[in-house]
Amino acid sequence: MAGKSNVKIHIKTEWCKGCVICVEYCPTDVLAMRNGKAYVKDITKCTACELCEIRCPDFAITVLYDKSEK
Amino acid sequence: MAGKSNVKIHIKTEWCKGCVICVEYCPTDVLAMRNGKAYVKDITKCTACELCEIRCPDFAITVLYDKSEK
Amino acid sequence: MSFRYEIRFSGEGGQGLVLAGKIFAEAAAIYDGLNATQSQSYGPEARGGSSRSEVIVSDDEIDYPKAVSIDLLLALTQEACDRYYADVKEGGVVIVDAAAVQTIPEGNFKIFQVPIIELARQKVGKPLFANIVALGIIAGIVDVVTEDALKSAIEARVPKGTEEINLQAFQVGLQEGKKYLTSF
Amino acid sequence: MSFRYEIRFSGEGGQGLVLAGKIFAEAAAIYDGLNATQSQSYGPEARGGSSRSEVIVSDDEIDYPKAVSIDLLLALTQEACDRYYADVKEGGVVIVDAAAVQTIPEGNFKIFQVPIIELARQKVGKPLFANIVALGIIAGIVDVVTEDALKSAIEARVPKGTEEINLQAFQVGLQEGKKYLTSF
Amino acid sequence: MFEYEKYIRKNKFPLVWCSGCGDGIVLKALLRAIDSIGLEKENVCMVSGIGCSSRLTGYVDCNTLHTTHGRAITFATGIKMAKPELNVIVITGDGDATAIGGNHYIHAARRNIDLTVIIFNNFIYGMTGGQVSPTTPVGMLASTAPFGNMENTFNISGLAQAAGASFVARGTVYHTVMLEKLIKKAILKNGFSVVEVLSPCPTAFGRRNKSGTIIDMMNEQKDNCVTSARAERMSERELEGKTVIGELVNIDRPECSKQYRKLIERCRSGL
Amino acid sequence: MFEYEKYIRKNKFPLVWCSGCGDGIVLKALLRAIDSIGLEKENVCMVSGIGCSSRLTGYVDCNTLHTTHGRAITFATGIKMAKPELNVIVITGDGDATAIGGNHYIHAARRNIDLTVIIFNNFIYGMTGGQVSPTTPVGMLASTAPFGNMENTFNISGLAQAAGASFVARGTVYHTVMLEKLIKKAILKNGFSVVEVLSPCPTAFGRRNKSGTIIDMMNEQKDNCVTSARAERMSERELEGKTVIGELVNIDRPECSKQYRKLIERCRSGL
Amino acid sequence: MNVIRVMTGNEACAEGALAAGLSFFAGYPITPSSEIAEELAELLPCAEGVFIQMEDELASIGAVIGASLTGAKAMTATSGPGFSLMQENIGYAIMAEVPCVIVNVMRGGPSTGLPTLPSQGDVMQARWGTHGDHQIIALAPYSVIEIFDLTIRAFNLAEKYRTPVILLLDEILAHVSEKVVLSDTAVRVIIDRIIPQEAPEAYLPYRYTQNLIPPMAPFGSGYRYHVTGLAHDETGFPTNDPVEIEKLLFRLQDKIIRNRDDIVQVEEFLLEDAEIGIISYGSSARSCRHAIRQLRAQGVRVGMLRLITIWPFANVKVEKWTKNIGKWYVVEMNMGQIAREVEAAAHGDATIFGIRQINGEPINPEFICQKIKDGLNV
Amino acid sequence: MNVIRVMTGNEACAEGALAAGLSFFAGYPITPSSEIAEELAELLPCAEGVFIQMEDELASIGAVIGASLTGAKAMTATSGPGFSLMQENIGYAIMAEVPCVIVNVMRGGPSTGLPTLPSQGDVMQARWGTHGDHQIIALAPYSVIEIFDLTIRAFNLAEKYRTPVILLLDEILAHVSEKVVLSDTAVRVIIDRIIPQEAPEAYLPYRYTQNLIPPMAPFGSGYRYHVTGLAHDETGFPTNDPVEIEKLLFRLQDKIIRNRDDIVQVEEFLLEDAEIGIISYGSSARSCRHAIRQLRAQGVRVGMLRLITIWPFANVKVEKWTKNIGKWYVVEMNMGQIAREVEAAAHGDATIFGIRQINGEPINPEFICQKIKDGLNV
Ligand SMILES: Cc1ncc(C[n+]2csc(CCOP(=O)(O)OP(=O)(O)O)c2C)c(N)n1
Ligand SMILES: Cc1ncc(C[n+]2csc(CCOP(=O)(O)OP(=O)(O)O)c2C)c(N)n1
Ligand code: SF4
Ligand code: SF4
Ligand code: SF4
Ligand code: SF4
Ligand code: SF4
Ligand code: SF4
Ligand SMILES: [Mg+2]
Ligand SMILES: [Mg+2]
C-alpha cells in the first residue's frame, strides 16, 4: 500500500516510554524502536491512518497531514 | 366444620400484645379479643389447625392436643 | 425568688404524653410569657413500654431541664405511677387515672384520682383524647399556666381539623379539674 | 570506635537496586557476622522514576538506618548521580556507569567510571545483571564485606536456577573492581 | 404445637417488637426450620446488625452476636472462615443489609460463602423511626421522604443473584409455612443463601402510609403475591404489581470456606 | 490528528503510568469523546478515587477531584445534586469501584443519578503493587493470592444492571475507536452510565501472570472479544471464554437529580 | 419582629443551618440526630436546597464535600457510630480545605452503647478521630437558642477558614424543647467563603496568602483546578517535596492556631468573686449553672468557665483562670476528657478535680453540689 | 539454635504473629502495610490458618472480630486511611471485649497524605479514634526484632485483657531490612485467653471477676451466649440500668488502668547521669539513639526514656523522670502529639521542648543534635 504524501509523524521522545504499541499496530510498518524509543523508520509507507496516535498511551505520537488531501 | 375434641388453646396474656392476628386468621372463629388481649371464645369449633399459633408474632398462643387423634 | 414548677406526664407509649408536654410548654412559653422546657425519656427499648414527658415552667432561666423534684405527676398507668411517685416533692400533686391506677401510692403529696380515660371515652368520644383531658384537669387543679394560653397552644398544635374536638376535651378536663381546685 | 559504612545504590526502577542492597546487607549480616540494615526510598510516584537503596553496615548496633554521610555511592543513571553525589562524604567513593553518566560530579571523593551495564551485556549476556556486576565491582574496590559472604548471599537470594549466571556476573564485576583496588 | 421453648431465651420475653410487627412470625418460622433440620444449638451461630429485626438474636438460645449497623455479614464471614463447621445465619433488615451493608452483601454473594442471610424487609428503617430505605416503594412516605420517596428501589433478590448468590428466595409472614420451608432450604444450601422476608412494620411504615392494621398489611400479602412457579406461567402484564415469592435462584458454585480448606490441604500435602 | 493539548495539563506530563499501561489509551478516548460532544471544559467535572487509574484526573484540564479510595461516586453524587448542570464523570478502578466502593456503585445505579462512571478494569490492584481484586479471574496470581485466586469474581456490568443503571457498556483499549463511541454515548445518556474498560496492567498483573508484553495482552483482547451485537447471535457454547464488548444495557428511567429539581418546583409552586 | 417558639435542639440546628445559608444536606439516620435530617428533608426543597439520604455515613460526608466544592453550604448530622465512619473523609475535608459542618449528637458509647441516652464521650474523638496531624474547630452549645446561633457560627467559621467544623450536641440538647426568641430584624452575621478575584489563569487554589486562607473557586465557575487528599503544593497538585509538605501542613495548622482569638469563645459565669471554679460545656454546663445558683444561695462562691468553643482548646483562658482560682472542678458526661486538657493547661497552678458521669443519666445538679460541698471540708 | 535472618519490619510482624499463634488474618491492602498481608497470604494456609482479603477495612475488622469470637487469634493490618475506617468496629471490640491485634503502619497524613513516606501522626488517633469513652493498649516497637517481639506481646496482651491491641509501626520500620537473630530454643511466652471452667448453665460472659477480665468461651464450644455492642450487664444482654452501665464502663477502664504496671513498658537509655532527657518512640527513637551517642561523644549528657507502650501512657515513669531531669525534648514525626501528654504528666516540673518533623523525611540525628546544642546556649 502506498503511503500518503504530506504526512508527518511527530514523536515526542520525552514522553515516549517505549511500550512498542505504535510499532506493533502500525499496519504498514512505518515505525520502529531505537534506544527504547519509537522512531519513524519509513514515512513513505504511512497511510495516515492514525492508529499509532490513537493507541499511544503516552500522548507521544502525533500524525500530521493535510486533511483536504485525504 | 366440627372442632376436634381434646384441643386446648393456651394464651399467655403477659406476652400477648393484642395484634388481633390470631383472631383474624382463625378459620373457625374460635378466638376473640377482650381488654386488648386474645382469648378463647369457643374452643369447640377449634380444628387444631395451628394457624393461630404459627402466626402469633409474640409466642403467646400454644395449641395443645393429642396428636394421635388427628 | 423565682419559681420553678415541674410536671411529669407519665403513662405508656401511644397515649400522647409527649404532645401533652409540648402543648403545656408552649402555653407557658409562647402565650404566658414564661420560660418552659419540655423533655422526654426513651426507655431502654424504643418500641412501646412506659413513656414520660417532663415540663419545667419558670419565670426565670431554666438551667437544668430535667425534673429534680416534681411538683405535679400525672400517671395514666399503674406502672408509671409506681415508678415515678417517689420523685414527687413534699406537698406536690399526683393525678392518676382512677381506673388504670388501682394501687394508690402513699406519700406526702395530694392525690387526685380522676377517671381521665373514661372521661375521654364518654364525653369526648375516644380514649385517645385522654392527654388533652388531662391538660384540662391540670389547668383546673393548679394555676401554673392560664386556660387561655393552653387553649391557644392546643389550637396551634393539634392536627388541622381537630381543633374543635380537642378544645372540647380540654373543657371536659377543666371542669372536672375545677372540682378539685387547689391553689398554687 | 565502631565503624559504620554507608552505601547508596541508585539508578532507575527495574535495575534491581533494591535486590542488590538486600544481598549486600545479607552478606554482611548473615555471613560476615556484622550488623546491617537496608532500606529504600519510594519516589513521589510509585511507578518508574529514580530508585535508591541504602545499606548501612556496622560492627555495632545500627540506630539510624538511613544514610547520613555516604561512604559509597553507586549511580547507574545520570539523574541518580546528579541527585545524590552531594551526600557523599569527604574521601568517599563514587562508582558510576561509564556510559550512562556522562557528566561527572566534582567533589572531595574518589570517582570510578566503570562500564557496568556494558560489562553485564557483553560478559554476562544481559544488562539485567548490572546490579550483580556492580556488587562485584564494589567488592573489588572496597573491603566492607567479604567476597565469600557476597557469593553466599547471592546464591541464597537469586531465583532458583539462576545462581550460576549471577555468580558469574559477580566475578565479572569483582575482576573489574580489583583493577581499581583501594583499601578500606 | 411446636416446642419453641427449646430454642428461645424465655426470660428475655416479651419481645421488644411492636404489637403486630411481622418479625416475631419470621422468628418462629426460623426456629421451626432449624428444628426440622435437626441442627444442634451449639453449632448454630446467629449474627445480626442493628435495627428492629436485628434484635432477634437476643431471643435465640444459640451463639448469638449483635454487631454494628450494616456489618453483620463481615463478622459472619470471619466466623464461617475460622470455624466452617458452624451454621452461620445472618439476621438483618432492609436498611442494614442493603443500605449501609450493601457492599458486604454483594461481596459475600460473590464469594459464595456459606451463610444464610435472612433479610427482614419492611421497606423502612423501623428502629430509628421510619426513615426511607433503599426498598421503600416510590411515592411512599417516610420521615425523610415527606413528599414521597422519589428514588428508585433495589430488588434485593435480583442484586444477590447478579452478585453471585447460590440460593435466593422471597417469602412473606402471611405465607408462614412456605417461609419455613424456604428458610430450611436456604440453611441446607451449601453456598451463599438469601431469604428476603416481607415483614410488615405497622408502626413506622404502616401508620405514616395509612396502610391500615397489620391485618390489612398481611391481607395485602395474601392478595398480591404469586409463587415463582406460577409466575413462570404468567405474562409480563399479568405480573405487573404482583410480588413473586418462593424460590428464585438455586445454583451450584464453589463455596468459599470449603475452597479455602482445600487450599490448606494442598499446602499441608506440600503441593 | 486530534488536538489533545486542548484538554490536557501538559506540564504534568509525562504520565505517571508504567510503560504500556492501558490507562493512557482510555484517557485519550475519553478526551475525544468529550470533544466530539462539544462539552465546555468549565462544565466538566472529573472525580476519581485512589488507584493508578484514578491519577487520571490530574491530567485533564477541567474541574478535577481526586478523592479517597472507593468514595469517588459519593463526592460525585454531591456535586451532581448540588449543581446538576455539570457533566460529572467518575474515573475509577476495579478495586476502587467494586471492592471498597461497591456500595456506592450500586446505590448510584439504583438512584439512577446522571453520572458517567468509567471503570478501568485491569483485574488487579495496580497502585498498591498487585493484590487480588474482585475481578481477578479465578486461578490467576496476585500478591495476596500467591496460590491463585480462588474467589468468584464480579461481573461489573451485570451488577450495575441489576442495581438499576440506565446505560452499561464494556470496551477495551485495543478497540479504541469503539471505546470512544461508548464513552460518548455514556456521557450523553441521561442517567447512571457505566463503561467498563478492560485496560491491561502489564506491571502488576501481567508480570506475575506471565501474560507477556502489553502487545500480547492487547492481542488477547483482539482475539477474545465479541461485540454484543454479534454475541446475540451466538450460542452459550460459542460464547464460552469470550468477552462481550459494546453496549450492554440502554434503558430509560427517572433520573435522580432531575426528579429532585421537580420536587423543588413543586414546593416552590406550593403544591 | 420577634418570633417566640418552642423548639427542640435538633429543630434549632436545622433552622440555624438554613439561616446560615445551608443549601445541601446529606445524611444517614441515627438516633439521636435523625430529627435534624427529618426537618431538613421537609424544609430544604422549599428553600431550593437539596436533601439527600445517602446509603451510609461514608457516603454522606463524601456528598457533603462534593457539594461544598460546587459552592454550596453543606452539612451532615450524625451520632457516635456514624461519626466514627466519617473520620476518613473529615481528614479529606481538612486536607483539601473544604468548608462543611458536621453535627455529632453525642450518645452513650463506646460502640452502639446507649443509643437513646446522653453523653459527652466524643469530645476527644472530635479532635483526634482522623489519622494524621491536623487541627479542627468544634463548638458545643448548651441551649436550644445557642444551638441555633452556633450552627450559624459553625458555618461562618467553616467558610471563613476553609475547614470542616464540628458541632457537638448531646441527646439532652437534641431532644429538649425550649423557648426561643428569634428576631427577624436583628442583623445576623453570615460569612461566605472568599472567592478568587484574579483571572482563572492566575488562580492558585492553595496559594499562601497572608491570612493563610486561599480563596476558593466553586467548581463550574470557570476556574479549572485540581483537588486532592494527597499532600500538595500551591497549585493543588501532589508533591513529595519536603519543603512543600511542611509548608502545607504548617499552614493548615496555623490558619486555625493563629486565629484562636477569633475562634475560641468561652462564657465566664460568676467567676469574678469565685473561690471555686467549674469548667463545663454543653448540657452539663446547665447542670452546673443550676448547681452554682444553689451553692451561691448557700454562700459558696462558685463560678464557671463555660467552653463554647471546645477545639481549639481555650488554653489562654484556662491558664489565666487557673492562675486566679486554685480549685477547679471539670464537669462532664465522660471519664474526664476535657479534665485532661485542663490539667495540661494549668501547668500545676491549680488542683483539678473531675466530676464525671457515664451512666446514661444527665448529671444531677444535686450531685455536683454535693461533690463541691464534700470538697469544702477537706 | 539461632537463626540469623535479614528481614523487613513487615515480615517480622507477620512472623511474630504466627509465632504468637495467629490463625486468622483479614485485611485490605494499603501502603505501607501491604507486605504484612502478602506474607500471611502465603504463610497462613500452610500453618492451617486463614487469610482473607476483604472488600474494605470495615469488613476486615469485622471479620477479625468474628473469627476471634470462635477462638482464633486474629489480626488485621492497615495504614492511616484504613485505620480511620476501622474506628467504629475497634470500639465494638473494646465494648464486647474481643481480643484482636490491629497493626497501623503509619504514613504521612492527614487524608491520603503521603502514602509512601513515614510519620507518627496517628498516635492520638490510636487513643481516641473511636467514639465514646474507652481505654486502649498501643505498642510502638523501634526495630525489626522488636517488631517481632512486640507483635507476640500484642497478642498476649489482647488475649490476657480481652481487648483490641494496636501495634503502631511506621513506614521506616515497615520497610527497613535488618538483621534479626531468632532463637528456636528460647522459651517464648505465649498467653492464651482464659476460657470458662464452669458449666455452660453457670457461665456469665461478662462476669465481674476479681481480675476484671471475664473468661471467654469460643463460639461453638457449647457455651451459648449473647454478644452485643450495646451497653450490657454480666449476662451480656443489653441494659439501660445506670448502675449496670457504670459498672461495665468502669470495669472496661479499670481492667487496663489497674494493670498499667503489667502493660506499660519503657526503656531507660543512658538516663542515670543525664542532664537532658529525650522522650521518643518508634523509628524516631533510633534517630535519638544515634544523636545521643554523638552528643555524648561531645560531652553532652543526654539520655532517653523510650516509650515501648504508648497507651496507656507511661505517666508514672514520665512523672518520675521529669522530677529528676529538668529539661526534656520530645522527639516525634508529628506536631507534638506525645509532647502534650508529657506536658500534662510533668505538672510543670520540667520544661518540655518538642522536636517535630512532618515533612515526610525521617528525623535526621544531626537535626536533633543541633536542636539540643542550640538549647545548651540558652
Ligand atoms: C453506623 C450507624 N449508622 C446509623 C445507625 C442508626 N440505625 C440503627 S438501625 C437503623 C436502620 C434500621 O433499618 P433496617 O435495617 O431496615 O431494620 P428495621 O429496624 O427496619 O428492622 C439505623 C439507621 C447505627 N446504629 N449505626
Ligand atoms: C481506605 C484505603 N484503603 C486502601 C488504600 C490503598 N489503595 C490505594 S489504591 C488501591 C487499589 C487500587 O486498585 P484499583 O482501584 O483497581 O486501581 P488500579 O491501581 O488498579 O488502577 C488501594 C487498595 C487507600 N488508599 N485507602
Ligand atoms: S498513521 Fe497509521 S500508517 Fe502511519 S505510522 Fe501511524 S499507524 Fe502507521
Ligand atoms: S506507543 Fe507511544 S509510548 Fe509506546 S513506543 Fe510508541 S510512541 Fe512510545
Ligand atoms: S388452632 Fe386453628 S382453629 Fe384452633 S384456634 Fe387456632 S386457628 Fe383457630
Ligand atoms: S396473635 Fe398473639 S399477640 Fe396477637 S392477639 Fe393473638 S395471641 Fe395476642
Ligand atoms: S417499628 Fe416496625 S419493625 Fe420496628 S418493632 Fe415496630 S413494627 Fe416492628
Ligand atoms: S501498575 Fe499497572 S495499572 Fe498501574 S500504572 Fe503500572 S501498568 Fe498501569
Ligand atoms: Mg427495615
Ligand atoms: Mg485495578
Side-chain angles (χ1 to χ4, degrees), chain E residues 38-217:
Chain E
L39 297 181
E40 291 292 334
K41 294 192 284 185
E42 273 71 35
N43 299 331
V44 176
C45 181
M46 283 194 198
V47 186
S48 61
I50 301 286
C52 290
S53 35
S54 289
R55 295 300 291 263
L56 182 146
T57 44
Y59 300 108
V60 184
D61 182 22
C62 65
N63 306 283
T64 56
L65 180 59
H66 181 231
T67 69
T68 45
H69 189 38
R71 315 296 167 208
I73 287 177
T74 71
F75 287 68
T77 298
I79 292 170
K80 186 70 191 178
M81 290 302 286
K83 213 169 208 172
E85 61 269 30
L86 287 176
N87 290 283
V88 184
I89 299 170
V90 175
I91 305 295
T92 175
D94 45 322
D96 195 60
T98 75
I100 193 168
N103 206 27
H104 313 306
Y105 181 59
I106 58 176
H107 277 275
R110 173 180 65 74
R111 286 191 184 100
N112 195 32
I113 183 163
D114 187 19
L115 306 175
T116 304
V117 178
I118 304 183
I119 304 184
F120 292 62
N121 185 1
N122 56 8
F123 305 101
I124 203 82
Y125 290 3
M127 178 64 112
T128 43
Q131 294 82 13
V132 71
S133 132
T135 60
T136 307
V138 174
M140 286 300 184
L141 297 173
S143 68
T144 47
F147 306 100
N149 175 35
M150 38 173 233
E151 288 191 9
N152 303 316
T153 59
F154 269 145
N155 177 336
I156 291 185
S157 301
L159 203 57
Q161 176 172 14
S166 285
F167 181 90
V168 183
R170 190 184 290 119
T172 83
V173 297
Y174 177 81
H175 305 86
T176 326
V177 179
M178 179 201 267
L179 181 59
E180 173 189 331
K181 290 196 183 128
L182 293 172
I183 294 175
K184 181 175 173 180
K185 271 197 151 175
I187 295 174
L188 287 171
K189 182 76 190 183
N190 175 24
F192 188 75
S193 325
V194 176
V195 182
E196 174 191 354
V197 189
L198 309 184
S199 176
C201 164
T203 306
F205 184 91
R207 226 180 263 168
R208 188 175 273 110
N209 283 292
K210 313 223 182 323
S211 315
T213 64
I214 178 65
I215 308 298
D216 297 315
M217 295 174 88

Side-chain angles (χ1 to χ4, degrees), chain A residues 16-22 38 56-58 60-61:
Chain A
C16 169
K17 296 206 190 103
C19 66
V20 200
I21 291 176
C22 55
C56 169
D58 285 290
I61 292 198

Side-chain angles (χ1 to χ4, degrees), chain H residues 139-155:
Chain H
L139 311 179
Y142 89 131
S143 69
V144 171
I145 185 66
E146 198 174 85
I147 290 177
F148 183 89
D149 292 335
L150 287 191
T151 305
I152 298 176
R153 187 167 153 78
F155 277 95

Side-chain angles (χ1 to χ4, degrees), chain F residues 207-266:
Chain F
R207 226 180 263 168
R208 188 175 274 109
N209 283 294
K210 313 222 183 323
S211 316
T213 64
I214 177 65
I215 309 296
D216 297 315
M217 294 173 90
M218 283 174 75
N219 283 343
E220 214 263 334
Q221 297 188 332
K222 180 171 74 175
D223 301 339
N224 217 37
C225 290
V226 293
T227 63
S228 49
R230 238 192 86 202
E232 267 176 32
R233 286 172 280 117
M234 289 165 72
S235 70
E236 283 261 316
R237 255 204 47 215
E238 288 173 310
L239 274 172
E240 212 161 87
K242 296 283 175 203
T243 304
V244 180
I245 57 173
E247 196 175 306
L248 306 173
V249 176
N250 192 345
I251 57 169
D252 290 312
R253 305 171 64 221
E255 191 276 329
C256 184
S257 68
K258 290 184 193 60
Q259 291 289 100
Y260 199 88
R261 295 299 129 174
K262 279 192 205 155
L263 173 63
I264 291 181
E265 280 314 308
R266 228 173 87 193

